[in-house]
Amino acid sequence: MAGIDKKDNQFPKGMHVLAVDDDRTCLVVLKAALQKCHYQVTTTNSAITALQLLREKKNKFDLVISDVHMPDMDGFKLLELVGLEMDLPVIMLSMNDDPRVMMKGIMHGARFYLTKPVKIEELKNIWQHVIRRNKLDPKNTGKAINNHENPDSGGGSGNELTTGGASDQSSKPSRKRKEQDEDEDHDNGNDNDSGEDPSAQKKPRVVWSLELHLKFVAAVEQLGIDKAVPEKILDLMNVEKLTRENVASHLQKYRLYLRTVNTITNQQHSNIGSSFSSGDTSSYLRMSPLTGIGQLQTLNNSGYGLRSFSPSNMIGRLNTPSGLHAHGFNYNDNQFQFPSSGLLGGAGGNNGQIFLYGRGLNSVQNFSTKFDPKQSFGRENHHHHQGGIYDNNPNSVGSSLPKNKSHSHLYLIIIIIIIVIVATKICGQMNATI
DNA sequence: CTCCGAATAT
DNA sequence: AATATTCGGA
């Protein structure tokens, strides 16, 4: 890039600006103003020409200032193309000061949004938008709009989420961390733009899909719950870009969940349950890892009966993708949810865990809804990195779409029936013991 | 100095 | 609510 040295605090007088506006008057004014600010200016009244210029001499320009409304090409389009093809900062310009339009520009990657008439004071400072280093993939400059991309798409990245082998432990001593790249401003204490910087990178959050969770649980199981510490779990899981912190966080929650669940079961198993659930209060550690799964198992199997009472094989079976696919669920990009083990969990039956979702029916419904593969909206995010750890579904959080009620209801009903049957059995047992 | 885990923040 | 980040302590 032309005359800019970001290390020195030197004012970038030589900065080369390409100004694009179909309105000649505006263009002339803009050019004059820019020149007054000691920028080097090239003008054009056509976005297409601008694009050509940019393509020809990618390195000649440092900054593009473009009007939004132009006959040959929408300013947004230009913005997008520039973002896609080269890594140049773009400042949008229009008379429209509608915040929504401005937001649109910013969200499409504009570094700043100016409104006409442009004040020269504003132009004086635009150089700052160039300085910000942008070492991330050029591709996300363009449309940061509805994709969460993971920070480095660099090498391999084939995290084997889709593979069922949760118990596989190709012991990899090296820890892999997801490097996060905060782009940081440096030594220019000048901050005049009150707006947000669009290039601010959102760091992706890990989404604990069912699959991830299963890996997690498997790892915990393998280690033994009391030996399961984040780092070891992380190793066993062997999932790229997952950090120890991620695991730690999840582990924290997991433990909390287990404790809750166990408290509940212990409360009610006064004399019934002694036969199973390792009664020992201090060792909620033993039965618990399974509880988390048990319910899922039940859900997944909903239609297929609940003979799956043996905790040990629950994991085994659940781990295989086929098991999960049984209903055609696309579990892959869905968030796993700890069943809400609300107050009225059932009296722990043969393996208490299944009953814990007394109130969890809600979550059940949620579950099936979310997991329905035919999900009406045609999600267009099958491209890039299947099996990612992160959430690439814009709709994912926040909206529990009531689609496909019938399905949900079906599952709900089935589950209720199962519960009733089991409850009956238990009552039978109770009576027998008494 | 590294890791864990509870507390706290987003 | 789910995940991230912080922070005191081993």
Side-chain angles (χ1 to χ4, degrees), chain A residues 160 168-176 231-232 234-241:
Chain A
E160 63 293 43
D168 90 294
Q169 71 290 47
S170 42
S171 46
K172 254 211 297 201
S174 66
R175 180 171 338 121
K176 46 269 155 161
E231 190 151 21
K232 293 183 185 157
L234 183 60
D235 266 350
L236 284 185
M237 289 178 69
N238 191 28
V239 172
E240 274 189 34
K241 300 207 184 82

Coordinates of all heavy atoms in Angstrom, one line a residue, chain A residues 160 168-176 231-232 234-241:
Chain A
E160 N -13.1 -34.1 13.2 CA -13.9 -35.3 12.8 C -15.1 -35.4 13.7 O -15.3 -36.4 14.4 CB -13.0 -36.5 13.0 CG -12.5 -36.8 14.4 CD -11.5 -35.8 14.9 OE1 -11.8 -34.6 14.6 OE2 -10.6 -36.2 15.5
D168 N -12.2 -43.0 20.8 CA -10.9 -43.0 20.2 C -10.0 -42.0 20.8 O -10.4 -40.9 21.1 CB -11.0 -42.7 18.7 CG -10.9 -41.2 18.4 OD1 -11.8 -40.5 18.9 OD2 -9.9 -40.8 17.8
Q169 N -8.8 -42.4 21.2 CA -7.9 -41.5 21.8 C -6.6 -41.6 21.2 O -5.7 -42.2 21.7 CB -7.9 -41.6 23.3 CG -7.2 -42.9 23.8 CD -7.9 -44.1 23.5 OE1 -8.5 -44.3 22.4 NE2 -8.1 -45.0 24.4
S170 N -6.5 -41.1 20.0 CA -5.2 -41.0 19.5 C -4.5 -39.9 20.3 O -4.6 -38.7 20.1 CB -5.2 -40.5 18.0 OG -6.2 -39.5 17.9
S171 N -3.8 -40.4 21.3 CA -3.3 -39.5 22.3 C -2.4 -38.4 21.6 O -1.3 -38.7 21.1 CB -2.5 -40.3 23.3 OG -1.6 -41.1 22.7
K172 N -2.9 -37.3 21.7 CA -2.1 -36.2 21.1 C -1.7 -35.3 22.2 O -2.5 -34.6 22.8 CB -2.9 -35.4 20.1 CG -2.5 -35.7 18.7 CD -2.7 -34.7 17.7 CE -3.8 -34.0 17.2 NZ -4.1 -33.3 16.2
P173 N -0.4 -35.4 22.6 CA 0.0 -34.6 23.7 C 0.0 -33.1 23.4 O -0.2 -32.3 24.3 CB 1.5 -35.1 23.9 CG 1.9 -35.6 22.6 CD 0.6 -36.1 21.9
S174 N 0.1 -32.8 22.2 CA 0.1 -31.4 21.9 C -1.3 -30.8 22.1 O -2.3 -31.3 21.7 CB 0.6 -31.2 20.5 OG -0.4 -31.7 19.6
R175 N -1.3 -29.7 22.8 CA -2.6 -29.1 22.9 C -2.8 -28.1 21.8 O -1.9 -27.4 21.4 CB -2.7 -28.3 24.2 CG -4.1 -27.7 24.3 CD -4.3 -27.1 25.7 NE -3.4 -27.8 26.6 CZ -2.6 -27.0 27.4 NH1 -2.5 -25.8 27.2 NH2 -1.8 -27.6 28.2
K176 N -4.0 -28.1 21.3 CA -4.2 -27.2 20.2 C -5.2 -26.1 20.8 O -6.2 -26.4 21.4 CB -4.8 -27.8 19.0 CG -6.0 -28.8 19.4 CD -5.5 -30.2 19.6 CE -6.4 -30.9 20.4 NZ -6.3 -32.3 20.4
E231 N -7.9 -30.5 30.8 CA -6.9 -30.8 29.8 C -6.9 -32.2 29.3 O -6.8 -32.5 28.1 CB -5.5 -30.5 30.4 CG -4.4 -30.5 29.3 CD -3.3 -29.6 29.7 OE1 -3.1 -29.3 30.8 OE2 -2.6 -29.3 28.7
K232 N -7.2 -33.1 30.2 CA -7.2 -34.5 29.7 C -8.4 -34.7 28.9 O -8.4 -35.4 27.9 CB -7.2 -35.4 31.0 CG -5.9 -35.4 31.7 CD -6.0 -36.4 32.9 CE -4.7 -36.2 33.7 NZ -4.9 -36.7 35.1
L234 N -9.8 -32.7 27.1 CA -9.5 -32.1 25.8 C -8.7 -33.0 24.9 O -9.0 -33.2 23.7 CB -8.8 -30.8 26.0 CG -8.4 -30.0 24.8 CD1 -9.7 -29.6 24.1 CD2 -7.6 -28.8 25.1
D235 N -7.8 -33.6 25.5 CA -6.9 -34.5 24.7 C -7.8 -35.7 24.2 O -7.7 -36.1 23.0 CB -5.8 -35.1 25.6 CG -4.6 -34.2 25.4 OD1 -4.6 -33.4 24.5 OD2 -3.6 -34.4 26.2
L236 N -8.5 -36.2 25.1 CA -9.3 -37.4 24.6 C -10.3 -37.0 23.6 O -10.6 -37.8 22.6 CB -10.0 -38.0 25.8 CG -9.2 -38.8 26.8 CD1 -10.0 -39.5 27.8 CD2 -8.4 -39.8 26.0
M237 N -10.8 -35.9 23.7 CA -11.9 -35.5 22.7 C -11.2 -35.3 21.4 O -11.8 -35.6 20.3 CB -12.6 -34.2 23.1 CG -13.5 -34.4 24.3 SD -14.3 -32.9 24.8 CE -15.3 -32.6 23.5
N238 N -10.1 -34.7 21.4 CA -9.3 -34.6 20.2 C -10.1 -33.8 19.1 O -10.3 -34.3 18.0 CB -8.9 -36.0 19.7 CG -7.9 -35.8 18.5 OD1 -7.2 -34.9 18.5 ND2 -7.9 -36.8 17.6
V239 N -10.6 -32.7 19.5 CA -11.3 -31.9 18.6 C -10.6 -30.6 18.3 O -10.1 -30.0 19.2 CB -12.7 -31.5 19.2 CG1 -13.4 -30.5 18.3 CG2 -13.5 -32.8 19.3
E240 N -10.5 -30.3 17.1 CA -9.7 -29.2 16.7 C -10.3 -27.9 17.3 O -11.5 -27.7 17.3 CB -9.6 -29.1 15.2 CG -8.5 -29.9 14.6 CD -8.3 -29.5 13.2 OE1 -8.6 -28.4 12.8 OE2 -8.0 -30.4 12.4
K241 N -9.4 -27.1 17.6 CA -9.8 -25.7 18.0 C -10.6 -25.6 19.3 O -11.0 -24.5 19.6 CB -10.7 -25.1 16.9 CG -9.9 -25.0 15.6 CD -10.5 -23.8 14.8 CE -9.8 -23.8 13.4 NZ -10.5 -24.7 12.5

